[in-house]
Structure formats: C-alpha cells, structure tokens
C-alpha cells in the first residue's frame, strides 16, 4: 500500500507540473527600439504599441553610455522630459536590462536634453492571463488546447484517487 501511495504522489506531481506549464509563459526580453536600440530620432511610442508587456518580462536597453543614459521616471516627468527626481537610474554599461515586476505603466527617458529628441518610452505592463481554450469544431480531432482541459480533470481524478486510497 505504501508503494501505491508513492506512485499516486509521483503522478500527481507530474500532472501538477503539466498544469503549471499549460497556464504560464516564459518572460520575454524586449529590445527597446528594436534593431535601432536606445538612440535619437526613434519613435518609441510607435515601437511600444506593437509590443505586449507582461509582469516578469524584461526591457533591454542598448546604447552608447558615453552619450545616453536610462532613467525610470514618473508620468509627469516623462511628459515634461524632466530628468530631476528620477525613480531609478538603470544605466550600467550600455547593455542594460530592467525587470517589469508590476502590472502598471513604466516611464523611461534619457537625460541631457535627449528626451526632447524622442528618447523616452512608456510601457504598460499587464498581468498574464491565459486565454481560454477555444471550443473544438464539430467532427475535428482534439488539439493541444485540449490538454488545458484534460490536465485539470486528470489532477482532480488523481486527487480523488489519493483520497480514496487513504481511506482504505
């Protein structure tokens, strides 16, 4: 009976891992400005509206640190290109990353007047919410999205089996 309990626990852990994989996503590294990086005369508003930012993602700023920097600022300072009283200077070596840890808007700019030349970006970070599996079409074969339904069912069956085994 003890061996049977360990086997049920093993399968329970496997199914729980599968469930976690079905409803999560890996963090994404967003190179700010795409192929141009963090420099002058780039429309970062245009760049950011074509990206999806989620909690856990990273911003990757690539720039010449002799001229530019990256400061996290509040919304008012962002709108006014004011580099005073910044929240955080993330400049380290010109290949700098920033982890998006909360679902909220984040604002960045470069000081020294470069903000007025367009070196500022706002990103709106959202919580990742997996989309529900689409309803299967009639007379079609199951898709990988079927696993998103099957895994929770399998976990419930395994939990019920473990509970019943404990009663005996």
């Amino acid at each position: 009976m003890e061996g049977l309990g360990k086997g049920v626990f093993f399968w329970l852990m496997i199914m729980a891992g599968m469930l976690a994989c079905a409803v999560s996503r890996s963090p994404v590294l967003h190179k700010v400005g795409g192929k141009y990086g963090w420099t002058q005369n780039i429309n970062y508003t245009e760049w950011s509206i074509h990206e999806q930012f989620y909690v856990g993602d990273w911003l990757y700023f690539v720039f010449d640190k002799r001229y530019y920097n990256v400061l996290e600022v509040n919304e008012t300072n962002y709108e006014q290109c004011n580099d005073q009283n910044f929240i955080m200077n993330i400049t380290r070596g010109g290949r700098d990353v920033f982890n998006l840890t909360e679902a909220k808007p984040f604002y960045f700019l470069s000081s020294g007047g470069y903000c007025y030349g367009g070196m500022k970006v706002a990103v709106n970070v959202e919580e990742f919410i997996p989309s529900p599996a689409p309803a299967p079409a009639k007379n079609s074969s199951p898709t990988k999205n079927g696993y998103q339904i099957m895994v929770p069912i399998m976990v419930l069956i395994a939990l019920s089996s473990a509970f019943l085994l404990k009663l005996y």
Side-chain angles (χ1 to χ4, degrees):
M1 187 66 126
E2 175 124 346
L4 184 61
K6 287 181 183 177
V8 170
F9 179 76
F10 171 76
W11 284 110
L12 238 171
M13 295 309 293
I14 294 293
M15 288 185 274
M18 289 171 52
L19 178 62
C21 290
V23 295
S24 66
R25 73 181 266 288
S26 296
V28 173
L29 181 69
H30 301 271
K31 183 178 178 186
V32 177
K35 67 181 180 180
Y36 301 106
W38 186 241
T39 189
Q40 295 183 72
N41 303 315
I42 304 295
N43 185 337
Y44 291 101
T45 302
E46 182 68 24
W47 170 81
S48 69
I49 63 171
H50 295 294
E51 300 283 321
Q52 285 288 156
F53 303 98
Y54 295 105
V55 173
D57 286 357
W58 293 83
L59 296 179
Y60 179 43
F61 291 88
V62 178
F63 57 97
D64 187 337
K65 71 175 186 168
R66 293 174 298 171
Y67 304 106
Y68 312 124
N69 63 3
V70 182
L71 305 176
E72 180 188 5
V73 296
N74 62 33
E75 183 178 12
T76 302
N77 286 7
Y78 170 82
E79 290 170 356
Q80 298 173 355
C81 281
N82 181 350
D83 59 7
Q84 301 300 307
N85 301 315
F86 55 85
I87 298 168
M88 180 188 301
N89 182 348
I90 68 165
T91 309
R92 297 292 175 263
R95 305 283 182 270
D96 302 321
V97 293
F98 182 85
N99 188 218
L100 302 169
T101 58
E102 296 179 62
K104 69 174 198 171
F106 286 88
Y107 303 95
F108 303 92
L109 58 78
S110 186
S111 65
Y114 294 111
C115 178
Y116 295 107
M119 288 186 71
K120 64 181 190 173
V121 65
V123 298
N124 188 36
V125 180
E126 302 174 29
E127 289 287 343
F128 177 72
I129 301 171
S131 57
K138 290 186 178 185
N139 298 326
S140 69
S141 62
T143 64
K144 70 177 184 176
N145 289 330
Y147 291 108
Q148 291 176 332
I149 296 169
M150 288 302 296
V151 171
I153 292 171
M154 292 169 64
V155 170
L156 286 174
I157 291 170
L159 286 172
S160 300
S161 299
F163 177 76
L164 289 174
L165 285 172
K166 240 182 171 180
L167 291 177
Y168 290 103

